[in-house]
Amino acid sequence: MLLLRGGDTLPCRASRRLEEVFAVDDPTGTLQAAWKVKEQLRALLRTGSLEDAAAAKNVLEELVKAAARQETNRLYRTVCRWWKEIEVLIITGATTGKAEANNTAIKNIKRTARGYRNAANYKSVILSRSAVRTAA
């Protein structure tokens, strides 16, 4: 779970634990190299200017080369392919996060009401679920 969390959000104790994991369970260093690539991508997406983003992309490229893994190479190719869109994200800060959250909420509501054969009961479950979500 430590590997999935952002490195900048780890408390000191968790950071030390992660270093122990790298030292003991990763003798080849491939896990640590992949983690550094992930963290650099997070840093790239947090940048505030195109110049900083370009510099972060160069650092990412070096880390990908050092990792020498098929997965990290594929990730870097994807970043390169989507670079124009990433630049737009950095400039505007606009994402599709709200739309994706709404889509997930709709799917969860539909999932809750599965199995209802009575249309009125199905409708009432959806409406009550939606009302609870709106009120919260």
Side-chain angles (χ1 to χ4, degrees):
M1 293 305 293
L2 292 176
L3 295 171
L4 298 177
R5 212 165 148 191
D8 55 339
T9 65
L10 289 174
C12 291
R13 185 172 164 215
S15 243
R16 285 192 303 273
R17 175 69 182 121
L18 189 59
E19 290 301 321
E20 289 172 13
V21 167
F22 289 146
V24 175
D25 296 332
D26 187 27
T28 61
T30 56
L31 183 62
Q32 185 175 18
W35 189 78
K36 286 180 180 179
V37 168
K38 179 209 47 133
E39 288 300 311
Q40 183 59 31
L41 179 61
R42 291 181 72 246
L44 185 153
L45 295 174
R46 274 195 317 266
T47 58
S49 71
L50 293 179
E51 296 80 24
D52 293 343
K57 184 182 175 192
N58 291 336
V59 173
L60 178 66
E61 182 180 14
E62 294 304 317
L63 288 171
V64 166
K65 287 178 182 174
R69 303 284 307 159
Q70 180 181 359
E71 297 85 0
T72 55
N73 292 339
R74 189 176 323 128
L75 173 69
Y76 185 71
R77 283 194 308 270
T78 302
V79 168
C80 290
R81 236 186 339 263
W82 286 84
W83 187 246
K84 292 292 181 196
E85 290 81 0
I86 292 171
E87 286 178 335
V88 170
L89 167 72
I90 291 166
I91 293 169
T92 65
T95 68
T96 60
K98 287 185 179 183
E100 295 298 330
N102 287 334
N103 289 340
T104 302
I106 290 167
K107 286 181 182 181
N108 285 335
I109 289 170
K110 287 173 71 175
R111 204 173 287 130
T112 300
R114 268 199 196 123
Y116 284 92
R117 293 198 170 121
N118 183 333
N121 289 349
Y122 180 71
K123 184 177 178 181
S124 65
V125 167
I126 290 175
L127 289 174
S128 65
R129 178 88 172 176
S130 178
V132 168
R133 184 172 147 63
T134 305

PDB file of all heavy atoms in Angstrom, residues 39-61 79 83 86-87 90-91:
ATOM      1  N   GLU A  39       6.551   8.646  -9.107  1.00  0.00           N
ATOM      2  CA  GLU A  39       6.612   9.896  -8.351  1.00  0.00           C
ATOM      3  C   GLU A  39       6.983  11.081  -9.250  1.00  0.00           C
ATOM      4  O   GLU A  39       6.465  12.182  -9.074  1.00  0.00           O
ATOM      5  CB  GLU A  39       7.606   9.773  -7.191  1.00  0.00           C
ATOM      6  CG  GLU A  39       7.110   8.891  -6.077  1.00  0.00           C
ATOM      7  CD  GLU A  39       5.816   9.384  -5.456  1.00  0.00           C
ATOM      8  OE1 GLU A  39       5.725  10.581  -5.119  1.00  0.00           O
ATOM      9  OE2 GLU A  39       4.892   8.576  -5.321  1.00  0.00           O
ATOM     10  N   GLN A  40       7.852  10.857 -10.209  1.00  0.00           N
ATOM     11  CA  GLN A  40       8.221  11.932 -11.127  1.00  0.00           C
ATOM     12  C   GLN A  40       7.046  12.319 -12.016  1.00  0.00           C
ATOM     13  O   GLN A  40       6.852  13.493 -12.313  1.00  0.00           O
ATOM     14  CB  GLN A  40       9.433  11.544 -11.979  1.00  0.00           C
ATOM     15  CG  GLN A  40       9.915  12.647 -12.890  1.00  0.00           C
ATOM     16  CD  GLN A  40      10.324  13.908 -12.136  1.00  0.00           C
ATOM     17  OE1 GLN A  40      10.794  13.844 -11.008  1.00  0.00           O
ATOM     18  NE2 GLN A  40      10.140  15.044 -12.765  1.00  0.00           N
ATOM     19  N   LEU A  41       6.254  11.335 -12.430  1.00  0.00           N
ATOM     20  CA  LEU A  41       5.059  11.641 -13.215  1.00  0.00           C
ATOM     21  C   LEU A  41       4.091  12.477 -12.384  1.00  0.00           C
ATOM     22  O   LEU A  41       3.507  13.442 -12.883  1.00  0.00           O
ATOM     23  CB  LEU A  41       4.384  10.360 -13.696  1.00  0.00           C
ATOM     24  CG  LEU A  41       3.106  10.565 -14.512  1.00  0.00           C
ATOM     25  CD1 LEU A  41       3.393  11.357 -15.784  1.00  0.00           C
ATOM     26  CD2 LEU A  41       2.474   9.230 -14.853  1.00  0.00           C
ATOM     27  N   ARG A  42       3.926  12.142 -11.128  1.00  0.00           N
ATOM     28  CA  ARG A  42       3.074  12.940 -10.242  1.00  0.00           C
ATOM     29  C   ARG A  42       3.613  14.364 -10.141  1.00  0.00           C
ATOM     30  O   ARG A  42       2.840  15.321 -10.175  1.00  0.00           O
ATOM     31  CB  ARG A  42       3.001  12.313  -8.843  1.00  0.00           C
ATOM     32  CG  ARG A  42       2.242  11.009  -8.797  1.00  0.00           C
ATOM     33  CD  ARG A  42       2.163  10.428  -7.388  1.00  0.00           C
ATOM     34  NE  ARG A  42       1.257  11.230  -6.580  1.00  0.00           N
ATOM     35  CZ  ARG A  42       1.624  11.956  -5.528  1.00  0.00           C
ATOM     36  NH1 ARG A  42       2.873  11.961  -5.119  1.00  0.00           N
ATOM     37  NH2 ARG A  42       0.734  12.656  -4.857  1.00  0.00           N
ATOM     38  N   ALA A  43       4.925  14.501 -10.025  1.00  0.00           N
ATOM     39  CA  ALA A  43       5.529  15.836  -9.943  1.00  0.00           C
ATOM     40  C   ALA A  43       5.307  16.609 -11.236  1.00  0.00           C
ATOM     41  O   ALA A  43       5.017  17.815 -11.209  1.00  0.00           O
ATOM     42  CB  ALA A  43       7.022  15.712  -9.637  1.00  0.00           C
ATOM     43  N   LEU A  44       5.433  15.922 -12.361  1.00  0.00           N
ATOM     44  CA  LEU A  44       5.219  16.569 -13.658  1.00  0.00           C
ATOM     45  C   LEU A  44       3.793  17.112 -13.748  1.00  0.00           C
ATOM     46  O   LEU A  44       3.576  18.237 -14.190  1.00  0.00           O
ATOM     47  CB  LEU A  44       5.473  15.558 -14.779  1.00  0.00           C
ATOM     48  CG  LEU A  44       5.425  16.053 -16.219  1.00  0.00           C
ATOM     49  CD1 LEU A  44       6.306  15.169 -17.080  1.00  0.00           C
ATOM     50  CD2 LEU A  44       4.044  16.087 -16.784  1.00  0.00           C
ATOM     51  N   LEU A  45       2.827  16.327 -13.330  1.00  0.00           N
ATOM     52  CA  LEU A  45       1.429  16.744 -13.427  1.00  0.00           C
ATOM     53  C   LEU A  45       1.072  17.847 -12.437  1.00  0.00           C
ATOM     54  O   LEU A  45       0.061  18.528 -12.610  1.00  0.00           O
ATOM     55  CB  LEU A  45       0.504  15.535 -13.245  1.00  0.00           C
ATOM     56  CG  LEU A  45       0.614  14.470 -14.336  1.00  0.00           C
ATOM     57  CD1 LEU A  45      -0.239  13.263 -13.991  1.00  0.00           C
ATOM     58  CD2 LEU A  45       0.244  15.034 -15.693  1.00  0.00           C
ATOM     59  N   ARG A  46       1.881  18.043 -11.417  1.00  0.00           N
ATOM     60  CA  ARG A  46       1.648  19.103 -10.440  1.00  0.00           C
ATOM     61  C   ARG A  46       2.298  20.425 -10.822  1.00  0.00           C
ATOM     62  O   ARG A  46       2.064  21.429 -10.168  1.00  0.00           O
ATOM     63  CB  ARG A  46       2.204  18.680  -9.076  1.00  0.00           C
ATOM     64  CG  ARG A  46       1.291  17.871  -8.238  1.00  0.00           C
ATOM     65  CD  ARG A  46       1.775  17.803  -6.786  1.00  0.00           C
ATOM     66  NE  ARG A  46       3.201  17.586  -6.644  1.00  0.00           N
ATOM     67  CZ  ARG A  46       3.772  16.392  -6.490  1.00  0.00           C
ATOM     68  NH1 ARG A  46       3.053  15.315  -6.476  1.00  0.00           N
ATOM     69  NH2 ARG A  46       5.069  16.284  -6.358  1.00  0.00           N
ATOM     70  N   THR A  47       3.131  20.437 -11.849  1.00  0.00           N
ATOM     71  CA  THR A  47       3.854  21.661 -12.191  1.00  0.00           C
ATOM     72  C   THR A  47       2.887  22.769 -12.574  1.00  0.00           C
ATOM     73  O   THR A  47       1.761  22.515 -13.019  1.00  0.00           O
ATOM     74  CB  THR A  47       4.844  21.425 -13.351  1.00  0.00           C
ATOM     75  OG1 THR A  47       4.132  20.942 -14.477  1.00  0.00           O
ATOM     76  CG2 THR A  47       5.931  20.458 -12.951  1.00  0.00           C
ATOM     77  N   GLY A  48       3.366  24.003 -12.441  1.00  0.00           N
ATOM     78  CA  GLY A  48       2.509  25.152 -12.711  1.00  0.00           C
ATOM     79  C   GLY A  48       2.812  25.874 -14.008  1.00  0.00           C
ATOM     80  O   GLY A  48       2.076  26.769 -14.397  1.00  0.00           O
ATOM     81  N   SER A  49       3.903  25.524 -14.649  1.00  0.00           N
ATOM     82  CA  SER A  49       4.247  26.207 -15.900  1.00  0.00           C
ATOM     83  C   SER A  49       4.760  25.192 -16.910  1.00  0.00           C
ATOM     84  O   SER A  49       5.193  24.101 -16.555  1.00  0.00           O
ATOM     85  CB  SER A  49       5.315  27.271 -15.645  1.00  0.00           C
ATOM     86  OG  SER A  49       6.558  26.661 -15.352  1.00  0.00           O
ATOM     87  N   LEU A  50       4.729  25.596 -18.172  1.00  0.00           N
ATOM     88  CA  LEU A  50       5.189  24.694 -19.234  1.00  0.00           C
ATOM     89  C   LEU A  50       6.694  24.461 -19.147  1.00  0.00           C
ATOM     90  O   LEU A  50       7.167  23.374 -19.480  1.00  0.00           O
ATOM     91  CB  LEU A  50       4.813  25.253 -20.600  1.00  0.00           C
ATOM     92  CG  LEU A  50       3.315  25.300 -20.892  1.00  0.00           C
ATOM     93  CD1 LEU A  50       3.053  25.892 -22.271  1.00  0.00           C
ATOM     94  CD2 LEU A  50       2.699  23.921 -20.777  1.00  0.00           C
ATOM     95  N   GLU A  51       7.428  25.467 -18.687  1.00  0.00           N
ATOM     96  CA  GLU A  51       8.888  25.304 -18.547  1.00  0.00           C
ATOM     97  C   GLU A  51       9.208  24.261 -17.474  1.00  0.00           C
ATOM     98  O   GLU A  51      10.062  23.393 -17.679  1.00  0.00           O
ATOM     99  CB  GLU A  51       9.563  26.636 -18.192  1.00  0.00           C
ATOM    100  CG  GLU A  51       9.448  27.692 -19.271  1.00  0.00           C
ATOM    101  CD  GLU A  51       8.092  28.407 -19.266  1.00  0.00           C
ATOM    102  OE1 GLU A  51       7.408  28.439 -18.213  1.00  0.00           O
ATOM    103  OE2 GLU A  51       7.700  28.898 -20.341  1.00  0.00           O
ATOM    104  N   ASP A  52       8.505  24.362 -16.345  1.00  0.00           N
ATOM    105  CA  ASP A  52       8.709  23.376 -15.279  1.00  0.00           C
ATOM    106  C   ASP A  52       8.291  21.983 -15.743  1.00  0.00           C
ATOM    107  O   ASP A  52       8.931  20.990 -15.412  1.00  0.00           O
ATOM    108  CB  ASP A  52       7.905  23.756 -14.034  1.00  0.00           C
ATOM    109  CG  ASP A  52       8.418  25.025 -13.372  1.00  0.00           C
ATOM    110  OD1 ASP A  52       9.561  25.427 -13.662  1.00  0.00           O
ATOM    111  OD2 ASP A  52       7.661  25.612 -12.567  1.00  0.00           O
ATOM    112  N   ALA A  53       7.202  21.921 -16.511  1.00  0.00           N
ATOM    113  CA  ALA A  53       6.721  20.633 -17.020  1.00  0.00           C
ATOM    114  C   ALA A  53       7.737  20.015 -17.970  1.00  0.00           C
ATOM    115  O   ALA A  53       7.987  18.809 -17.925  1.00  0.00           O
ATOM    116  CB  ALA A  53       5.374  20.794 -17.717  1.00  0.00           C
ATOM    117  N   ALA A  54       8.335  20.840 -18.843  1.00  0.00           N
ATOM    118  CA  ALA A  54       9.335  20.325 -19.785  1.00  0.00           C
ATOM    119  C   ALA A  54      10.550  19.803 -19.024  1.00  0.00           C
ATOM    120  O   ALA A  54      11.103  18.747 -19.367  1.00  0.00           O
ATOM    121  CB  ALA A  54       9.735  21.411 -20.775  1.00  0.00           C
ATOM    122  N   ALA A  55      10.965  20.527 -17.980  1.00  0.00           N
ATOM    123  CA  ALA A  55      12.102  20.079 -17.168  1.00  0.00           C
ATOM    124  C   ALA A  55      11.758  18.766 -16.455  1.00  0.00           C
ATOM    125  O   ALA A  55      12.574  17.840 -16.406  1.00  0.00           O
ATOM    126  CB  ALA A  55      12.488  21.156 -16.160  1.00  0.00           C
ATOM    127  N   ALA A  56      10.535  18.689 -15.915  1.00  0.00           N
ATOM    128  CA  ALA A  56      10.108  17.466 -15.228  1.00  0.00           C
ATOM    129  C   ALA A  56      10.009  16.300 -16.212  1.00  0.00           C
ATOM    130  O   ALA A  56      10.313  15.157 -15.860  1.00  0.00           O
ATOM    131  CB  ALA A  56       8.765  17.691 -14.539  1.00  0.00           C
ATOM    132  N   LYS A  57       9.621  16.579 -17.447  1.00  0.00           N
ATOM    133  CA  LYS A  57       9.544  15.531 -18.464  1.00  0.00           C
ATOM    134  C   LYS A  57      10.939  15.004 -18.789  1.00  0.00           C
ATOM    135  O   LYS A  57      11.131  13.796 -18.985  1.00  0.00           O
ATOM    136  CB  LYS A  57       8.889  16.072 -19.728  1.00  0.00           C
ATOM    137  CG  LYS A  57       8.683  15.027 -20.805  1.00  0.00           C
ATOM    138  CD  LYS A  57       8.065  15.645 -22.041  1.00  0.00           C
ATOM    139  CE  LYS A  57       7.973  14.627 -23.162  1.00  0.00           C
ATOM    140  NZ  LYS A  57       7.643  15.253 -24.448  1.00  0.00           N
ATOM    141  N   ASN A  58      11.930  15.883 -18.822  1.00  0.00           N
ATOM    142  CA  ASN A  58      13.313  15.448 -19.064  1.00  0.00           C
ATOM    143  C   ASN A  58      13.814  14.555 -17.934  1.00  0.00           C
ATOM    144  O   ASN A  58      14.476  13.544 -18.179  1.00  0.00           O
ATOM    145  CB  ASN A  58      14.232  16.657 -19.246  1.00  0.00           C
ATOM    146  CG  ASN A  58      13.955  17.395 -20.541  1.00  0.00           C
ATOM    147  OD1 ASN A  58      13.424  16.829 -21.485  1.00  0.00           O
ATOM    148  ND2 ASN A  58      14.282  18.669 -20.580  1.00  0.00           N
ATOM    149  N   VAL A  59      13.490  14.931 -16.704  1.00  0.00           N
ATOM    150  CA  VAL A  59      13.871  14.102 -15.555  1.00  0.00           C
ATOM    151  C   VAL A  59      13.159  12.756 -15.641  1.00  0.00           C
ATOM    152  O   VAL A  59      13.766  11.704 -15.391  1.00  0.00           O
ATOM    153  CB  VAL A  59      13.545  14.819 -14.222  1.00  0.00           C
ATOM    154  CG1 VAL A  59      13.767  13.896 -13.039  1.00  0.00           C
ATOM    155  CG2 VAL A  59      14.367  16.085 -14.083  1.00  0.00           C
ATOM    156  N   LEU A  60      11.878  12.782 -16.022  1.00  0.00           N
ATOM    157  CA  LEU A  60      11.122  11.540 -16.183  1.00  0.00           C
ATOM    158  C   LEU A  60      11.772  10.639 -17.223  1.00  0.00           C
ATOM    159  O   LEU A  60      11.915   9.436 -17.006  1.00  0.00           O
ATOM    160  CB  LEU A  60       9.670  11.841 -16.583  1.00  0.00           C
ATOM    161  CG  LEU A  60       8.768  10.638 -16.823  1.00  0.00           C
ATOM    162  CD1 LEU A  60       8.550   9.859 -15.535  1.00  0.00           C
ATOM    163  CD2 LEU A  60       7.440  11.078 -17.422  1.00  0.00           C
ATOM    164  N   GLU A  61      12.201  11.221 -18.327  1.00  0.00           N
ATOM    165  CA  GLU A  61      12.860  10.441 -19.377  1.00  0.00           C
ATOM    166  C   GLU A  61      14.116   9.758 -18.852  1.00  0.00           C
ATOM    167  O   GLU A  61      14.366   8.579 -19.128  1.00  0.00           O
ATOM    168  CB  GLU A  61      13.207  11.339 -20.560  1.00  0.00           C
ATOM    169  CG  GLU A  61      13.854  10.608 -21.709  1.00  0.00           C
ATOM    170  CD  GLU A  61      14.194  11.511 -22.882  1.00  0.00           C
ATOM    171  OE1 GLU A  61      14.182  12.741 -22.724  1.00  0.00           O
ATOM    172  OE2 GLU A  61      14.473  10.957 -23.959  1.00  0.00           O
ATOM    173  N   VAL A  79       2.992   9.283 -22.212  1.00  0.00           N
ATOM    174  CA  VAL A  79       3.156  10.698 -21.837  1.00  0.00           C
ATOM    175  C   VAL A  79       3.532  11.510 -23.071  1.00  0.00           C
ATOM    176  O   VAL A  79       2.975  12.597 -23.297  1.00  0.00           O
ATOM    177  CB  VAL A  79       4.203  10.854 -20.713  1.00  0.00           C
ATOM    178  CG1 VAL A  79       4.602  12.315 -20.530  1.00  0.00           C
ATOM    179  CG2 VAL A  79       3.682  10.277 -19.411  1.00  0.00           C
ATOM    180  N   TRP A  83       1.282  14.545 -24.820  1.00  0.00           N
ATOM    181  CA  TRP A  83       1.951  15.729 -24.291  1.00  0.00           C
ATOM    182  C   TRP A  83       1.152  17.010 -24.513  1.00  0.00           C
ATOM    183  O   TRP A  83       1.073  17.861 -23.629  1.00  0.00           O
ATOM    184  CB  TRP A  83       3.367  15.855 -24.850  1.00  0.00           C
ATOM    185  CG  TRP A  83       4.103  16.971 -24.187  1.00  0.00           C
ATOM    186  CD1 TRP A  83       4.539  18.119 -24.752  1.00  0.00           C
ATOM    187  CD2 TRP A  83       4.465  17.050 -22.807  1.00  0.00           C
ATOM    188  NE1 TRP A  83       5.141  18.906 -23.818  1.00  0.00           N
ATOM    189  CE2 TRP A  83       5.114  18.261 -22.609  1.00  0.00           C
ATOM    190  CE3 TRP A  83       4.293  16.204 -21.715  1.00  0.00           C
ATOM    191  CZ2 TRP A  83       5.597  18.678 -21.379  1.00  0.00           C
ATOM    192  CZ3 TRP A  83       4.769  16.603 -20.488  1.00  0.00           C
ATOM    193  CH2 TRP A  83       5.418  17.822 -20.328  1.00  0.00           C
ATOM    194  N   ILE A  86      -1.485  17.137 -21.960  1.00  0.00           N
ATOM    195  CA  ILE A  86      -0.898  17.384 -20.643  1.00  0.00           C
ATOM    196  C   ILE A  86      -0.558  18.862 -20.496  1.00  0.00           C
ATOM    197  O   ILE A  86      -0.771  19.465 -19.441  1.00  0.00           O
ATOM    198  CB  ILE A  86       0.338  16.485 -20.423  1.00  0.00           C
ATOM    199  CG1 ILE A  86      -0.097  15.023 -20.300  1.00  0.00           C
ATOM    200  CG2 ILE A  86       1.125  16.913 -19.186  1.00  0.00           C
ATOM    201  CD1 ILE A  86       1.043  14.024 -20.288  1.00  0.00           C
ATOM    202  N   GLU A  87      -0.063  19.472 -21.570  1.00  0.00           N
ATOM    203  CA  GLU A  87       0.217  20.912 -21.535  1.00  0.00           C
ATOM    204  C   GLU A  87      -1.058  21.711 -21.274  1.00  0.00           C
ATOM    205  O   GLU A  87      -1.045  22.668 -20.504  1.00  0.00           O
ATOM    206  CB  GLU A  87       0.856  21.361 -22.843  1.00  0.00           C
ATOM    207  CG  GLU A  87       2.295  20.931 -22.991  1.00  0.00           C
ATOM    208  CD  GLU A  87       2.904  21.352 -24.313  1.00  0.00           C
ATOM    209  OE1 GLU A  87       2.164  21.549 -25.303  1.00  0.00           O
ATOM    210  OE2 GLU A  87       4.137  21.494 -24.361  1.00  0.00           O
ATOM    211  N   ILE A  90      -1.865  21.488 -17.648  1.00  0.00           N
ATOM    212  CA  ILE A  90      -0.982  22.313 -16.833  1.00  0.00           C
ATOM    213  C   ILE A  90      -1.375  23.784 -16.935  1.00  0.00           C
ATOM    214  O   ILE A  90      -1.395  24.505 -15.936  1.00  0.00           O
ATOM    215  CB  ILE A  90       0.483  22.084 -17.234  1.00  0.00           C
ATOM    216  CG1 ILE A  90       0.898  20.671 -16.804  1.00  0.00           C
ATOM    217  CG2 ILE A  90       1.406  23.127 -16.628  1.00  0.00           C
ATOM    218  CD1 ILE A  90       2.177  20.186 -17.415  1.00  0.00           C
ATOM    219  N   ILE A  91      -1.732  24.232 -18.128  1.00  0.00           N
ATOM    220  CA  ILE A  91      -2.098  25.641 -18.326  1.00  0.00           C
ATOM    221  C   ILE A  91      -3.453  25.958 -17.696  1.00  0.00           C
ATOM    222  O   ILE A  91      -3.598  26.951 -16.981  1.00  0.00           O
ATOM    223  CB  ILE A  91      -2.119  25.990 -19.834  1.00  0.00           C
ATOM    224  CG1 ILE A  91      -0.703  25.923 -20.394  1.00  0.00           C
ATOM    225  CG2 ILE A  91      -2.724  27.366 -20.070  1.00  0.00           C
ATOM    226  CD1 ILE A  91      -0.642  25.987 -21.904  1.00  0.00           C
TER     227      ILE A  91
END
